[in-house]
Amino acid sequence: MTLNEYPTELELQWAPPENINGKLVAYSVYYFIYPGGTPTKRTVLPAQTSLRLTGLQPYTRYGFYVTATNYVGEGTVSITSTGSTDESGTKAVVVIYFEKYTFIFAE
């Protein structure tokens, strides 16, 4: 952990899926209050494998998952990870994993 000026942030990191059927055009990152919250979607470029979420609620647990997207659409969903914001000002990093084989089907 490193000091973070804003306790309402979480940084997400992920590695590309091992198997992609087609050209990767984006990642869709979903986050929600865990459990039971409604997911919010953020889209990032395919070269980006991390995202800092800001404006989150302090002392709150969040869930996260990522999908890899090609021109046909979104592929398999990553494993859902969780992380919590902390009013103490520490920076939390959440690592998100795709299952061993993640496929995006092209038509």
Side-chain angles (χ1 to χ4, degrees):
M1 297 270 188
T2 58
L3 289 178
N4 185 2
E5 186 176 347
Y6 304 101
T8 57
E9 297 181 358
L10 287 171
E11 183 175 335
L12 310 179
Q13 298 176 350
W14 62 91
E18 291 183 16
N19 298 299
I20 300 174
N21 187 10
K23 183 179 179 183
L24 181 65
V25 297
Y27 289 106
S28 296
V29 180
Y30 295 87
Y31 62 99
F32 54 96
I33 293 177
Y34 185 86
T38 302
T40 298
K41 179 180 176 181
R42 296 272 306 269
T43 302
V44 299
L45 297 173
Q48 187 174 342
T49 57
S50 65
L51 176 65
R52 179 171 294 186
L53 296 173
T54 61
L56 303 176
Q57 298 175 24
Y59 288 123
T60 303
R61 187 172 193 88
Y62 286 88
F64 312 91
Y65 58 91
V66 176
T67 63
T69 304
N70 68 10
Y71 289 110
V72 176
E74 292 185 37
T76 303
V77 175
S78 71
I79 297 168
T80 299
S81 297
T82 62
S84 298
T85 55
D86 183 2
E87 194 172 292
S88 68
T90 57
K91 176 182 173 186
V93 176
V94 178
V95 179
I96 300 172
Y97 297 96
F98 283 92
E99 292 185 36
K100 184 174 181 183
Y101 299 103
T102 300
F103 300 95
I104 298 176
F105 297 98
E107 294 180 333

